[in-house]
Amino acid sequence: GLPATQLSVTQFLRQVGHLPAKTAAVGLCEDGLPVLFDLGDARTGPLLVTGEEGSGKTRLLQNLLRTLVNANAANTVQYLIIATRPEEYDTLAGQGLRTGHCQGLYSPDEPEAAEAILRLAELAEKRYQERRPAPAILLVIDGLEAITAFEEGVASNFEWLVKNGPAVQVWPVGALPTPAALAMKPWIRYFRTRLVGHMPANAAERLGVPPQAAVETLQSGRQFTVRVGGKWLQFWLPLEQEAAETPAGMAS
């Protein structure tokens, strides 16, 4: 097969194959093995994707959603997206709305965005009481800094979700550019799983990412690292197939 660095999105999805239920793949390690997240396991905790502008955060989130949708029926996995640049998710959300996987795509300044957060917090609370199997729901916020602009009730409900959602299959997944991550340190401590793209070493240090993660050497737009066990594992995002036609292929 092709090396991990040269796969397109379609080839990546093919190589990852049929994943176990509620499992997402975000990229491939150098040896061709996928980096997987089990959304059936609450220990994964909420996910945070961070890195410089242009490091590939949006593409990583798109991969995560594509692999979940590819391998799971809509009654097993659903998602809702709040994005500062919602147009980057138009195609994905359009497909997801047709298949029933997508519950909505909003910009943070639309009232529906705040309503969606409150609704998911209410749902999670209900699930705590009922304790019966339910679909995994991902609340993807691409531009997590927007949370600080919501009114206090919405922000505190989101904070509650970040701490308690995964235990009842409601998964907050956020993306933050490096400067915003530094400004939101009290928030990001709740995100147990961090996927880190290219950023300066001093910023990584301030975010608690150790030197051995070598984030300043990661290829911007293509490469990330995540802590698995005690080790930092580097992986590649697939190539954006339409990169030749659209400069938007380099979206962060």
Side-chain angles (χ1 to χ4, degrees), residues 48-142:
L48 179 71
V49 184
T50 183
E52 294 295 278
E53 194 63 43
S55 58
K57 300 181 291 296
T58 295
R59 283 176 49 200
L60 188 152
L61 292 175
Q62 290 167 341
N63 283 342
L64 178 89
L65 294 173
R66 279 187 192 115
T67 56
L68 277 169
V69 165
N70 236 24
N72 292 279
N75 60 1
T76 311
V77 170
Q78 291 155 23
Y79 63 85
L80 195 145
I81 303 167
I82 299 170
T84 40
R85 292 199 286 256
E87 65 280 2
E88 295 183 333
Y89 290 93
D90 277 347
T91 309
L92 196 62
Q95 292 163 347
L97 286 163
R98 283 194 296 278
T99 59
H101 290 90
C102 182
Q103 291 189 3
L105 167 62
Y106 309 112
S107 154
D109 45 23
E110 290 182 77
E112 291 89 347
E115 285 160 21
I117 291 171
L118 295 172
R119 191 174 72 241
L120 282 179
E122 209 173 294
L123 174 77
E125 208 161 346
K126 199 166 153 225
R127 285 183 175 187
Y128 259 99
Q129 290 152 10
E130 293 175 354
R131 292 281 176 193
R132 59 168 190 240
I137 299 178
L138 283 84
L139 170 58
V140 176
I141 305 187
D142 191 348

Side-chain angles (χ1 to χ4, degrees), residues 196-201 204 211-220 222-225 234 236:
V196 186
H198 179 80
M199 69 169 65
Q212 65 263 35
V215 288
E216 72 282 5
T217 67
L218 297 171
Q219 190 177 318
S220 194
R222 291 296 319 282
Q223 221 180 358
F224 278 78
T225 184
Q234 291 189 357
W236 293 87

